[in-house]
Amino acid sequence: MVHPFRPAPHLKREAQRLRRAGIDSWEELAGLDDARLRHLAASGEASEPRLILLRGQARLVSAVGLAPEEAALLLHGGIASPAGLAAADPPQLQQQLGRLQRRLTGSAVPPVDLPLVLSWVRRARQASGRSPN
């Protein structure tokens, strides 16, 4: 599924800078190297650390097929790449994300369940060529 390129509102300046540079999809952002991100941040219109964060989100969205909000949750939970997700222990990750979600949203959003986390890890392993075990 192709997700529209709509970074979170708190990353508005970074999204605007990326669009001015002609980058308007998660896939394009995922393919940027460090030098290009530094160049985009050099104008002062965007923060390099935030661009790096967005690129990590984009890599999870494009390589694993996650929704942008799922990728953002994983980033906040310490999973910054498809390889990191592929190496994760699903029950431990589900517990970690559940704690994080409760701190961020309280009970407003249902916590991620183990079958969902298992599907994310499985897709990341397929994307990275790792065995499913």
Side-chain angles (χ1 to χ4, degrees):
M1 176 179 188
V2 176
H3 297 281
F5 185 62
R6 284 191 294 243
H10 69 280
L11 298 168
K12 181 180 177 180
R13 288 181 37 210
E14 287 71 23
Q16 289 172 341
R17 178 66 182 111
L18 290 166
R19 285 195 178 98
R20 276 196 296 281
I23 298 158
D24 59 1
S25 74
W26 293 109
E27 291 73 22
E28 289 173 320
L29 177 54
L32 295 182
D33 62 15
D34 290 344
R36 178 82 168 131
L37 285 182
R38 273 191 297 281
H39 174 74
L40 290 169
S43 68
E45 296 175 68
S47 155
E48 184 178 348
R50 286 178 171 214
L51 287 172
I52 291 169
L53 178 77
L54 268 173
R55 181 183 58 189
Q57 182 180 9
R59 288 179 174 170
L60 288 167
V61 169
S62 63
V64 182
L66 300 179
E69 56 276 4
E70 293 170 335
L73 178 64
L74 285 167
L75 284 169
H76 288 292
I79 302 294
S81 68
L85 179 56
D89 174 57
Q92 182 180 353
L93 180 59
Q94 188 250 341
Q95 182 179 34
Q96 179 182 339
L97 292 176
R99 278 192 219 119
L100 175 63
Q101 258 188 314
R102 282 189 298 279
R103 275 188 300 182
L104 293 174
T105 64
S107 60
V109 176
V112 295
D113 59 13
L114 187 57
L116 179 61
V117 173
L118 283 166
S119 75
W120 293 348
V121 171
R122 192 174 306 115
R123 292 190 328 228
R125 288 177 179 168
Q126 289 171 344
S128 65
R130 289 182 52 140
S131 68
N133 297 339

